[in-house]
Amino acid sequence: MYKEILELAKFCEENGIEIVQGELLDGYGLRFNNGGDVVQHMGSYGNSRGCVEFGCTGFSEVDFTATPLEKAKEFLKANKDTLNQKG
């Protein structure tokens, strides 16, 4: 269950995006250095459709929306430097 967030954690590791991974409710959360996060659990938007939910990243186009895995990867890669900055 929630394989997308686990795949996203692996993607972050492979692409130098610093995260702290932890369990959250019945799923997982990944926290970025800038204070933002991405989650997938029973209460996150789009969880039943294979989507993750970003929160407080500073990018309104993804925050608090259901985001498909490939779009999430594109976002992370494009914003790596910002996400890796200490908040």
Side-chain angles (χ1 to χ4, degrees):
M1 192 170 209
Y2 307 128
K3 63 183 181 194
E4 293 82 9
I5 193 81
L6 298 175
E7 185 174 333
L8 204 57
K10 184 177 178 181
F11 176 85
C12 288
E13 183 179 307
E14 292 170 349
N15 287 277
I17 301 164
E18 300 173 23
I19 59 166
V20 174
Q21 180 178 342
E23 293 183 7
L24 185 60
L25 300 175
D26 68 334
Y28 302 95
L30 311 177
R31 174 139 336 251
F32 305 107
N33 286 342
N34 77 338
D37 63 5
V38 60
V39 300
Q40 190 179 36
H41 55 70
M42 66 183 172
S44 62
Y45 293 122
N47 69 70
S48 63
R49 299 187 325 262
C51 292
V52 297
E53 178 187 346
F54 285 94
C56 300
T57 63
F59 297 90
S60 61
E61 68 269 18
V62 295
D63 283 352
F64 307 107
T65 62
T67 307
L69 181 60
E70 291 309 312
K71 184 176 178 182
K73 288 178 179 179
E74 289 173 16
F75 169 80
L76 290 173
K77 201 167 192 180
N79 296 288
K80 172 184 171 179
D81 292 340
T82 300
L83 296 170
N84 279 345
Q85 289 178 354
K86 301 283 185 199

